[in-house]
Amino acid sequence: MELTRCDWVNTDPVYIAYHDEEWGKPLTDDLKLFELLMLEGMQAGLSWYTVLKKREGFREAFDGFDPEKIVLYGEDKVEELMQNVGIVRNRLKIKGVITNAQVYQQICREEEGGFAGYLWSFVGGTPVVNHWKNRAEVPATTPQSDQMSKALKRKGMKFIGSTICYAFMQASGMVDDHALDCFCRSTPAAIES
């Protein structure tokens, strides 16, 4: 019996696995959330599929998205990353990840609950479960993604517009936008760390 999935999923096994095993599953690990948010920023102007196919390349190039290492990157490292065909080679996005690692550290120091607690506060700490009938009803932004974007921009983050924030919220399970007939549709699920 074939499973019913959200209609945005293509037939590539990588995409199917991402949808089935990751997208929309509540994620509360600081470092995993940082990685996901940085990948969403790298996706700006591109398809998520492009970034997903390069995810392992990104992980290798950015030291596993370890903010402690990324904040030490200088111009030599930026130039090295600009030559790396395994990632999206955009100087502003690369420098944005470095800046965002610094902001990540600041949030972890200053905000109760660390990075995860801070980000989850925009949805009240509990996943928002939507009931869209079809993909056309799903918004590109919401008041919560607007608030997250503005707050992160005030802290100095880059490539963090409201559309990126909403895609991030969907991917990290802060919002459940699985189609009503999708087999991944929310039933109270355990929060992953």
Side-chain angles (χ1 to χ4, degrees):
M1 183 175 167
E2 191 168 325
L3 297 172
T4 302
R5 293 181 172 86
C6 296
D7 62 4
W8 54 263
V9 181
N10 70 25
T11 59
D12 186 300
V14 172
Y15 219 45
I16 291 170
Y18 172 71
H19 170 270
D20 294 0
E21 299 164 18
E22 295 181 59
W23 193 78
K25 301 243 188 302
L27 186 63
T28 59
D29 179 270
D30 284 350
L31 293 174
K32 289 178 183 177
L33 286 166
F34 177 72
E35 174 185 324
L36 183 58
L37 189 57
M38 295 307 95
L39 290 173
E40 290 289 354
M42 284 289 181
Q43 182 261 330
L46 305 169
S47 74
W48 178 246
Y49 184 66
T50 298
V51 172
L52 189 60
K53 295 288 276 188
K54 292 179 177 275
R55 181 163 58 173
E56 289 308 317
F58 277 113
R59 286 174 173 160
E60 185 177 319
F62 284 94
D63 292 300
F65 286 98
D66 180 346
E68 303 298 319
K69 293 179 180 176
I70 294 171
V71 296
L72 301 175
Y73 291 0
E75 278 304 314
D76 288 348
K77 181 65 173 184
V78 172
E79 289 306 318
E80 175 189 317
L81 291 167
M82 285 296 295
Q83 303 306 313
N84 188 330
V85 296
I87 65 170
V88 173
R89 296 176 291 173
N90 177 302
R91 188 175 303 278
L92 291 176
K93 290 179 180 181
I94 291 168
K95 287 187 168 194
V97 171
I98 299 167
T99 298
N100 293 348
Q102 295 164 349
V103 176
Y104 168 91
Q105 289 180 322
Q106 172 193 339
I107 291 171
C108 287
R109 281 192 309 270
E110 296 175 358
E111 300 292 341
E112 187 175 330
F115 194 62
Y118 179 71
L119 295 177
W120 274 88
S121 73
F122 293 97
V123 293
T126 305
V128 174
V129 180
N130 290 316
H131 303 282
W132 313 118
K133 292 180 183 143
N134 58 58
R135 185 171 27 167
E137 291 183 351
V138 180
T141 65
T142 63
Q144 292 97 334
S145 68
D146 292 345
Q147 291 167 1
M148 180 186 283
S149 172
K150 287 176 186 169
L152 291 172
K153 283 179 182 178
R154 277 194 302 272
K155 289 187 177 289
M157 275 205 172
K158 309 289 183 197
F159 290 94
I160 200 74
S162 186
T163 301
I164 288 170
C165 285
Y166 193 64
F168 166 75
M169 294 167 93
Q170 291 172 307
S172 66
M174 292 176 193
V175 173
D176 182 351
D177 275 349
H178 281 287
L180 294 176
D181 61 348
C182 177
F183 86 97
C184 289
R185 182 85 182 144
S186 243
T187 55
I191 293 183
E192 296 178 20
S193 54

